[in-house]
Amino acid sequence: MSARAGSSGAPRAFVSLRVSVRVPLRVSFRMRVWSVLLLAAGVGSAGAAAAAEPTFAMQCIQLAGLTLPPGIIGLPTGGARIDTAEMIAATAHNNQDGEYCRITGSIKPLKVGTPDIRFDVNLPRRWNGRALQVGGGGYNGVVVSGTGVMPFWPDRAPLAQGYATFGDDSGHVGNSALAVFGLVDEAVVNFGYAHLKKTHDVALALIGHAYGRRPEHVYFAGGSTGGREGYTVMQRFPDDYDGVIANSPALNFSGVRLLGVKVGQTEYATPGGFVPRPLLERVYQRTLEVCDQLDGAADGIVSDVSACRRHEADMIASLRCPPGEAGVANDTCLSNAQLATLDVLRGGISLPWPLAWNVTRYRGYNVFQGALFTGMLGLARNDACGTSPTIVANGYLFSQGDGYARYFIARDPAFDSLKFDVLHPGRYRQQIVALSRTIGAMNPDLSRYIARGGKLITLHGLADEVISPNQTIAYYEALVDRFGSGTVDSFMRLYMVPGFQHGSGAFIPSTDLLGALDTWVTRGTAPETLIATDIAAATNGRSRPLCRYPMFPRYGGKGNVNSASSFICVES
């Protein structure tokens, strides 16, 4: 559990221990730094006296070049190095974060050929006593700076509010569908979970050095891959965090990648299976025609997904081409082969053998309940597939699934995923199961995190076209089955957002999740219905209630349809 310190506010200058031996300044400083770092890790004399050192800025700059031993990191590494350390003025160009010390560094691997984990740590001059680790996205590969305004804190940057922030690149360079780092065992483990603990421990040692104490509370926040990382830290490192925001979490990572391969196979390896973008738009518009007003408001948002699902069979029948027209190229109806492609998306994937934690399914998407697959992260734009599928040409799901099959599963860049039998993978099955344990974040046992009083907020769009919202719901329901609804309510809030896709959509919510989490942790006030402001360009400024699952916002029948006050949270 995070150490509880005294009052927050303006911190002391960087502190370190006095040493009596006269040595050169640089060496003396390093010795004093090590004394404090080792104390932060629980090593050294507890009775040693601390004294104020030179200015915050000077101590910040002198960190550059410092090396940190493996012993302060809770997982095996080759230690860490501080590459740069500089003060960023509050008046610096485009700075939204106030005055702070920016530290960049790298955590060294155990094996030659494994990339470093590059990280950033940001220490505000006026610290609020809390720390925030920020998650990544996609296959990571880019250092998460922890600076600037974030989706879960829409008005002011966490760093500007006094949070010490930190993030990393998960242990490789480059965020692409190819994911070639999957060929390196240690890099895969780092990506799956180890980078989170390694960076956390280095950051907390630096925070302890900077302020003379550890944070009162440590939080994690991220979306997509960062959401998966949020669930990962609760499952694997429950003693390290007091609260987690895990939005649109990429749970069951192997499952969604295998489903992506199946989608590609139905589009490219099945005659007539490609679904052109006009037809995807037609499916979406038909969904709005049938389901938009089921919540009482004609607002371009499908809110009552459960009621909409009851119309699914009729919608599919109305979209199917009449006999004799299936082979005619048009944008008004779908052939059986095209509907089969959408059925793969809708139905997800069921495996005849279990992944880790006995998981056998990846839940499908709300294809006929408001999800639009024509955007940047949608389905394929091209009706032919080259040797190296890309997100732009071949869609996010297939291109990511193809890269996973090549580099993580088969570990062969020439592997042809279009010919891969994902239900009967043969000699690759053991590797898939091992990967699902390393990366999947599907362990439902959060008992340690719950017992410690840890809190969790998850927000996920019901129209998400990248990570299925139904997989998140399935994990939530598994928690309820395991612990009971009362226990789950005591530590978790799940908000399923109508109209929200994977960062875009008919409704893009902006709300202060970090403030809600901090209030819950520090004051014991659990969030209930939240209010979100829409930041979608066409409808910017309207608001809706964010309802706790399984409720959704229903229009009350009077009042401004663009105001959250005109809606109530109800169950379908």
Side-chain angles (χ1 to χ4, degrees):
M1 180 175 288
S2 305
R4 305 296 188 230
S7 61
S8 58
R12 294 171 284 173
F14 281 70
V15 297
S16 60
L17 299 181
R18 291 185 184 275
V19 291
S20 58
V21 180
R22 290 184 175 273
V23 291
L25 176 62
R26 186 68 170 174
V27 176
S28 174
F29 170 74
R30 289 173 183 269
M31 290 175 63
R32 294 196 300 270
V33 166
W34 279 124
S35 298
V36 175
L37 290 177
L38 292 176
L39 278 179
V43 181
S45 172
E53 285 292 314
T55 67
F56 187 90
M58 182 180 297
Q59 287 274 34
C60 169
I61 294 170
Q62 288 180 322
L63 285 172
L66 186 71
T67 56
L68 285 69
I72 70 164
I73 303 173
L75 292 177
T77 72
R81 175 183 171 85
I82 306 302
D83 298 322
T84 67
E86 60 177 336
M87 286 298 300
I88 306 298
T91 56
H93 181 63
N94 289 333
N95 181 15
Q96 300 173 292
D97 300 290
E99 185 179 14
Y100 66 99
C101 173
R102 179 175 185 261
I103 301 166
T104 71
S106 51
I107 301 170
K108 305 305 175 183
L110 295 174
K111 296 182 179 180
V112 175
T114 301
D116 292 347
I117 300 170
R118 300 174 300 150
F119 64 84
D120 280 13
V121 177
N122 309 290
L123 306 175
R125 179 180 286 278
R126 298 189 62 83
W127 186 41
N128 68 4
R130 298 162 177 76
L132 174 67
Q133 184 172 7
V134 185
Y139 277 119
N140 288 334
V142 178
V143 176
V144 177
S145 71
T147 59
V149 175
M150 301 179 189
F152 40 83
W153 190 279
D155 298 320
R156 295 187 66 190
L159 187 54
Q161 292 296 309
Y163 286 87
T165 65
F166 55 98
D168 63 75
D169 68 354
S170 83
H172 63 275
V173 177
N175 187 339
S176 74
L178 294 179
V180 294
F181 72 92
L183 299 172
V184 182
D185 288 339
E186 191 175 352
V188 171
V189 172
N190 281 335
F191 172 71
Y193 64 88
H195 75 103
L196 299 164
K197 174 65 173 173
K198 294 173 183 179
T199 300
H200 168 278
D201 289 359
V202 169
L204 261 64
L206 292 170
I207 291 169
H209 164 61
Y211 304 111
R213 58 187 173 96
R214 293 173 68 86
E216 300 166 23
H217 301 291
V218 179
Y219 302 141
F220 185 96
S224 193
T225 287
R228 172 185 63 79
E229 291 169 347
Y231 279 81
T232 296
V233 300
M234 291 186 296
Q235 295 168 19
R236 292 183 179 269
F237 314 114
D239 292 335
D240 289 345
Y241 300 87
D242 301 293
V244 168
I245 298 167
N247 294 339
S248 309
L251 302 175
N252 193 354
F253 198 81
S254 288
V256 70
R257 294 298 177 247
L258 292 177
L259 178 58
V261 171
K262 286 291 293 181
V263 169
Q265 290 172 348
T266 57
E267 283 206 294
Y268 294 121
T270 304
F274 177 76
V275 185
R277 297 170 73 78
L279 281 181
L280 294 171
E281 180 67 32
R282 174 72 184 106
V283 171
Y284 177 70
Q285 292 300 328
R286 180 58 180 155
T287 299
L288 292 183
E289 291 168 7
V290 174
C291 299
D292 183 3
Q293 298 188 60
L294 294 177
D295 61 356
D299 55 2
I301 301 172
V302 177
S303 294
D304 193 347
V305 167
S306 294
C308 184
R309 188 165 284 120
R310 292 193 286 271
H311 296 273
E312 188 172 64
D314 290 337
M315 279 191 282
I316 292 173
S318 70
L319 290 165
R320 190 185 303 273
C321 291
E325 294 186 20
V328 178
N330 59 60
D331 58 5
T332 60
C333 65
L334 288 89
S335 68
N336 289 338
Q338 291 167 334
L339 285 170
T341 296
L342 298 185
D343 192 58
V344 170
L345 277 174
R346 179 178 67 94
I349 190 170
S350 294
L351 300 172
W353 41 272
L355 299 170
W357 300 292
N358 205 35
V359 172
T360 59
R361 288 188 60 194
Y362 186 84
R363 269 65 173 183
Y365 298 78
N366 294 329
V367 177
F368 299 99
Q369 291 83 37
L372 177 61
F373 288 87
T374 60
M376 180 181 70
L377 299 178
L379 291 185
R381 292 159 176 78
N382 292 356
D383 60 1
C385 180
T387 56
S388 297
T390 67
I391 293 173
V392 172
N394 309 109
Y396 182 90
L397 286 174
F398 175 51
S399 61
Q400 297 286 300
D402 176 79
Y404 195 71
R406 291 172 189 253
Y407 296 102
F408 284 77
I409 297 174
R411 313 194 96 172
D412 176 6
F415 185 75
D416 186 355
S417 68
L418 293 180
K419 298 178 181 178
F420 180 40
D421 187 346
V422 299
L423 299 182
H424 306 92
R427 62 190 178 95
Y428 299 117
R429 174 175 162 179
Q430 183 176 354
Q431 174 70 353
I432 296 171
V433 174
L435 288 167
S436 72
R437 182 170 296 277
T438 300
I439 308 175
M442 285 294 288
N443 185 356
D445 185 4
L446 298 182
S447 53
R448 174 63 180 170
Y449 188 73
I450 297 170
R452 286 190 55 255
K455 307 302 181 187
L456 166 65
I457 297 175
T458 288
L459 178 153
H460 201 153
L462 284 164
D464 197 324
E465 78 280 32
V466 172
I467 302 299
S468 173
N470 298 308
Q471 183 62 61
T472 297
I473 291 171
Y475 185 87
Y476 168 82
E477 291 175 344
L479 292 179
V480 172
D481 289 343
R482 186 184 186 96
F483 297 107
S485 58
T487 297
V488 173
D489 286 348
S490 73
F491 87 97
M492 181 180 184
R493 290 293 181 267
L494 175 60
Y495 299 96
M496 303 303 298
V497 186
F500 183 38
Q501 294 183 217
H502 204 73
S504 61
F507 185 89
I508 306 175
S510 178
T511 192
D512 184 7
L513 294 185
L514 184 56
L517 180 71
D518 186 56
T519 298
W520 196 2
V521 170
T522 61
R523 303 178 190 173
T525 304
E528 296 298 333
T529 300
L530 301 176
I531 303 301
T533 300
D534 190 1
I535 58 174
T539 48
N540 188 280
R542 66 177 173 175
S543 60
R544 289 286 186 277
L546 294 183
C547 303
R548 289 181 56 190
Y549 179 81
M551 293 186 286
F552 71 93
R554 179 188 292 279
Y555 181 57
K558 58 183 178 179
N560 186 352
V561 75
N562 292 319
S563 174
S565 62
S566 302
F567 291 77
I568 57 174
C569 291
V570 299
E571 291 193 43
S572 181

